[in-house]
Amino acid sequence: MRRIAAASSSPSSTQLLRYFAGHEASSSAWSIRRAAAASAAAARCLSTDASAAAASSSSSVISASSPAVVKRVESMVSRHDEIVAMLNTGEHGTSASLGKELSRLAPVANLDERIKELRTEKASLMELLTEAQSMDDAEMEEDCTSEMERIDSQVASLESRLVYAVLPRDEDDLGTDAVLEVRAGTGGDEAALFAAKLLAAYEKTAKDRGWKFESLGKTLTDLGGIKEAAASINSRGGGGGGYGGSFGDGDDSASDLDSLDKLGPYGLFKFESGVHRVQRVPVNDVRIHTSAASVAVLPAPDDSAGSRDALPMSELRIDTMRASGAGGQHVNTTESAIRITHIPTGITASIQDERSQHKNKATAMKLITARVRDKQREEEARERGDAKANLMGGGDRSERIRTYNFPQDRVTDHRCKHSEHGISKLFDSGGEDGLVSTFAPYMRTMNREELLKEMEGEE
């Protein structure tokens, strides 16, 4: 009891002793010792001069991390506190932009604060451990050591999440829908059949999440393959979400910033862009054939009225023509087919799937807007120097990203160097065992590593 009496000079310590005295006799002596030590530490903190306290509160807690991450944490926490002060004083009303920025910064500030709390708690335990060692109290020494190990584990986990939380984020990952394009490459009919297989796998993934998978156009071969196809994937307010949630110690699943469940369609599918190579034996041959299909995943444009994604009509040329191919009496009799050309870039989109010219025009407009906006995004990225040619590859859609080796029942992603066996399972399952969900975590991890390398290189 001498160690408790030594700490009881602080008023808060006295209150703690009264609190524990009212508990049942079974309350552990360890709880009282720990509370007394924490109280004593708090009393010493109160006696520290104000300037030192202010410096401590603003310092970063990830001293073991790179200077770039430390600097970014400090900047984001400072900005978070600034916005909170502005909103509390009412200087800027309830600005929507400030609210959005605050929600983006809050996870960083919350993690930073929690880590500081744990470090303060560990400091108190270290003092208590020193006292236990001096008094040869083996039981208390063991309890202190165990608690510090628990805190170290928590801090390591929170620091890992903090590093990820400060990395630049692709805002289109969250609630943005996707436009998906699949084209058969080299390999003739075999390539077209594989393209159809890829498209079917993507459709299963979208529907498994409750998203709407809508065809925007499709050109089929006589064997049922796909020469080219486009589709839109819409979350319709479900499935994909935003980052956020609680950062409590026991709620890792809810606070996991990289959970696939929090992604929108574009965020989930975007790493499928590139050339997919397949090696398999066709049904009419005994030799292994190599063919390929290319995939492009684009952020779906916001087609609401007044959206900044809308293309100026002055930049578009719209041509109508008669539909061609199989399709019944309307083929070659009505001008329902639409081709839209974006004059500045020369990008085109042609649709003739519907009998209605109005529907074909709306679909073509959505497709060409996505293509033009994606091209603009690529050009902006190159200007910023964000084009990645190392871990993530060059980002070129002509780049081979994955090989599907059917004889060996193996799929290998050449960007993350990860292989999976069980091709049928990957294509047939739209859930966690499906093609997209299996490789997405590896690619997102690589993306984080690449962003971290870029941040460190900027210092």
Side-chain angles (χ1 to χ4, degrees), residues 62-97:
I62 50 174
S63 56
S65 299
S66 69
V69 176
V70 173
K71 181 178 179 180
R72 191 168 180 86
V73 170
E74 291 175 344
S75 174
M76 295 179 75
V77 171
S78 175
R79 177 57 179 166
H80 172 271
D81 295 342
E82 180 184 350
I83 294 176
V84 170
M86 291 166 58
L87 294 176
N88 287 339
T89 58
E91 293 180 4
H92 294 266
T94 56
S95 171
S97 60

Coordinates of all heavy atoms in Angstrom, one line a residue, residues 62-97:
I62 N 4.7 8.6 -35.0 CA 5.3 7.5 -35.7 C 6.8 7.8 -36.0 O 7.3 8.0 -37.1 CB 4.6 7.3 -37.0 CG1 4.4 8.5 -37.9 CG2 3.3 6.6 -36.8 CD1 3.8 8.3 -39.2
S63 N 7.6 7.9 -34.9 CA 9.0 8.2 -35.0 C 9.8 7.2 -35.8 O 10.8 7.5 -36.3 CB 9.6 8.4 -33.6 OG 9.4 7.2 -32.8
A64 N 9.3 5.9 -35.8 CA 10.0 4.9 -36.5 C 9.7 4.9 -38.0 O 10.4 4.2 -38.8 CB 9.6 3.5 -36.0
S65 N 8.7 5.7 -38.4 CA 8.4 5.8 -39.8 C 9.2 6.8 -40.6 O 10.0 7.5 -40.0 CB 6.9 6.2 -40.0 OG 6.1 5.2 -39.4
S66 N 9.1 6.9 -41.9 CA 9.9 7.8 -42.7 C 9.5 9.2 -42.4 O 8.4 9.5 -42.0 CB 9.6 7.5 -44.2 OG 8.3 7.9 -44.5
P67 N 10.5 10.1 -42.6 CA 10.2 11.6 -42.4 C 9.0 12.1 -43.3 O 8.3 12.9 -42.9 CB 11.5 12.2 -42.9 CG 12.6 11.2 -42.7 CD 11.9 9.9 -43.0
A68 N 8.9 11.5 -44.5 CA 7.8 11.9 -45.3 C 6.4 11.6 -44.7 O 5.5 12.4 -44.7 CB 7.9 11.2 -46.7
V69 N 6.3 10.4 -44.1 CA 5.0 10.1 -43.4 C 4.8 10.9 -42.2 O 3.7 11.4 -42.0 CB 5.0 8.6 -43.1 CG1 3.7 8.2 -42.3 CG2 5.1 7.7 -44.4
V70 N 5.9 11.1 -41.4 CA 5.7 11.9 -40.2 C 5.3 13.4 -40.6 O 4.4 13.9 -39.9 CB 7.1 12.0 -39.5 CG1 7.0 13.0 -38.3 CG2 7.5 10.6 -39.0
K71 N 5.9 13.9 -41.6 CA 5.5 15.3 -42.1 C 4.0 15.3 -42.5 O 3.3 16.3 -42.2 CB 6.4 15.7 -43.2 CG 6.2 17.1 -43.7 CD 7.2 17.4 -44.8 CE 6.9 18.8 -45.3 NZ 7.9 19.2 -46.4
R72 N 3.6 14.3 -43.2 CA 2.2 14.3 -43.7 C 1.2 14.1 -42.6 O 0.2 14.8 -42.6 CB 2.1 13.2 -44.7 CG 0.8 13.2 -45.5 CD 0.8 12.3 -46.7 NE -0.4 12.4 -47.5 CZ -0.7 13.2 -48.4 NH1 0.2 14.1 -48.8 NH2 -1.8 13.2 -49.1
V73 N 1.6 13.3 -41.6 CA 0.7 13.2 -40.4 C 0.5 14.5 -39.7 O -0.6 14.9 -39.4 CB 1.2 12.1 -39.5 CG1 0.4 12.1 -38.2 CG2 1.1 10.7 -40.1
E74 N 1.6 15.2 -39.5 CA 1.6 16.4 -38.8 C 0.7 17.4 -39.6 O -0.1 18.2 -39.0 CB 3.0 17.0 -38.6 CG 3.8 16.2 -37.6 CD 5.3 16.7 -37.5 OE1 5.7 17.4 -38.5 OE2 6.0 16.3 -36.6
S75 N 0.9 17.5 -40.9 CA 0.2 18.4 -41.7 C -1.3 18.1 -41.7 O -2.1 19.0 -41.5 CB 0.7 18.3 -43.1 OG -0.1 19.1 -44.0
M76 N -1.7 16.8 -41.8 CA -3.1 16.5 -41.8 C -3.8 16.7 -40.5 O -4.9 17.1 -40.4 CB -3.3 15.0 -42.3 CG -2.8 14.8 -43.7 SD -2.9 13.1 -44.3 CE -4.7 13.0 -44.5
V77 N -3.1 16.4 -39.4 CA -3.7 16.6 -38.0 C -3.8 18.1 -37.8 O -4.8 18.5 -37.2 CB -2.8 15.9 -37.0 CG1 -3.2 16.4 -35.6 CG2 -2.8 14.4 -37.1
S78 N -2.8 18.9 -38.2 CA -2.9 20.3 -38.0 C -4.1 20.9 -38.8 O -4.9 21.7 -38.3 CB -1.6 21.0 -38.5 OG -1.7 22.4 -38.4
R79 N -4.3 20.4 -40.0 CA -5.4 20.9 -40.8 C -6.7 20.4 -40.2 O -7.7 21.2 -40.3 CB -5.3 20.4 -42.3 CG -6.4 20.7 -43.2 CD -6.6 22.2 -43.3 NE -7.7 22.5 -44.3 CZ -8.3 23.7 -44.3 NH1 -7.8 24.7 -43.6 NH2 -9.2 23.9 -45.2
H80 N -6.8 19.2 -39.7 CA -8.0 18.7 -39.1 C -8.4 19.6 -37.9 O -9.6 20.1 -37.8 CB -7.8 17.3 -38.6 CG -8.9 16.8 -37.7 ND1 -8.9 16.9 -36.3 CD2 -10.0 16.1 -38.0 CE1 -10.0 16.4 -35.9 NE2 -10.7 15.8 -36.9
D81 N -7.4 20.0 -37.0 CA -7.7 20.8 -35.9 C -8.1 22.2 -36.3 O -9.0 22.8 -35.7 CB -6.5 20.9 -35.0 CG -6.1 19.6 -34.4 OD1 -7.0 18.7 -34.4 OD2 -5.0 19.4 -33.9
E82 N -7.5 22.7 -37.4 CA -7.9 24.0 -37.9 C -9.4 24.0 -38.4 O -10.1 25.0 -38.1 CB -7.0 24.4 -39.1 CG -7.2 25.7 -39.7 CD -6.3 26.0 -40.9 OE1 -5.4 25.3 -41.1 OE2 -6.6 27.0 -41.7
I83 N -9.8 23.0 -39.1 CA -11.1 22.9 -39.6 C -12.1 22.8 -38.5 O -13.2 23.5 -38.5 CB -11.3 21.8 -40.6 CG1 -10.5 22.0 -41.9 CG2 -12.8 21.6 -41.0 CD1 -10.5 20.8 -42.8
V84 N -11.8 22.0 -37.5 CA -12.7 21.9 -36.3 C -12.9 23.2 -35.7 O -14.0 23.6 -35.3 CB -12.1 20.8 -35.3 CG1 -12.9 20.9 -34.0 CG2 -12.2 19.4 -35.9
A85 N -11.8 24.0 -35.5 CA -11.9 25.3 -34.9 C -12.8 26.2 -35.7 O -13.6 27.0 -35.2 CB -10.5 25.9 -34.7
M86 N -12.6 26.2 -37.0 CA -13.4 27.0 -37.9 C -14.9 26.7 -37.8 O -15.7 27.6 -37.8 CB -12.9 26.9 -39.3 CG -11.5 27.4 -39.6 SD -10.8 26.9 -41.2 CE -12.0 27.5 -42.3
L87 N -15.2 25.4 -37.8 CA -16.6 25.0 -37.7 C -17.2 25.3 -36.4 O -18.4 25.7 -36.3 CB -16.7 23.5 -38.0 CG -16.4 23.1 -39.4 CD1 -16.4 21.6 -39.6 CD2 -17.3 23.7 -40.4
N88 N -16.4 25.3 -35.3 CA -16.9 25.6 -34.0 C -17.2 27.1 -33.8 O -18.1 27.4 -33.1 CB -15.9 25.1 -32.9 CG -15.8 23.6 -32.7 OD1 -16.8 22.9 -33.1 ND2 -14.7 23.1 -32.2
T89 N -16.4 27.9 -34.5 CA -16.6 29.3 -34.4 C -17.7 29.8 -35.3 O -18.2 30.9 -35.2 CB -15.3 30.1 -34.7 OG1 -14.8 29.8 -36.0 CG2 -14.3 29.8 -33.6
G90 N -18.1 29.0 -36.3 CA -19.1 29.3 -37.2 C -18.7 30.3 -38.3 O -19.5 31.0 -39.0
E91 N -17.3 30.5 -38.5 CA -16.8 31.5 -39.4 C -17.2 31.1 -40.9 O -17.5 32.0 -41.7 CB -15.3 31.5 -39.3 CG -14.8 32.1 -38.0 CD -13.3 32.2 -38.0 OE1 -12.7 31.8 -39.0 OE2 -12.7 32.5 -37.0
H92 N -17.3 29.8 -41.2 CA -17.6 29.4 -42.5 C -18.9 28.7 -42.6 O -19.2 27.9 -43.5 CB -16.5 28.5 -43.1 CG -15.2 29.2 -43.2 ND1 -14.8 29.8 -44.4 CD2 -14.2 29.5 -42.3 CE1 -13.6 30.3 -44.2 NE2 -13.2 30.2 -43.0
G93 N -19.8 28.9 -41.6 CA -21.1 28.2 -41.6 C -20.9 26.7 -41.6 O -20.1 26.2 -40.8
T94 N -21.6 26.0 -42.4 CA -21.5 24.5 -42.5 C -21.1 24.1 -43.9 O -21.8 23.5 -44.6 CB -22.9 23.9 -42.1 OG1 -23.9 24.4 -43.0 CG2 -23.2 24.1 -40.7
S95 N -20.0 24.6 -44.3 CA -19.5 24.4 -45.7 C -19.4 22.9 -46.0 O -18.8 22.2 -45.2 CB -18.1 25.1 -45.8 OG -17.5 24.7 -47.0
A96 N -20.0 22.5 -47.1 CA -20.0 21.1 -47.5 C -18.6 20.7 -47.8 O -18.2 19.5 -47.5 CB -20.9 20.9 -48.7
S97 N -17.8 21.6 -48.4 CA -16.4 21.2 -48.8 C -15.6 21.0 -47.5 O -14.7 20.1 -47.5 CB -15.8 22.3 -49.7 OG -15.8 23.5 -49.0

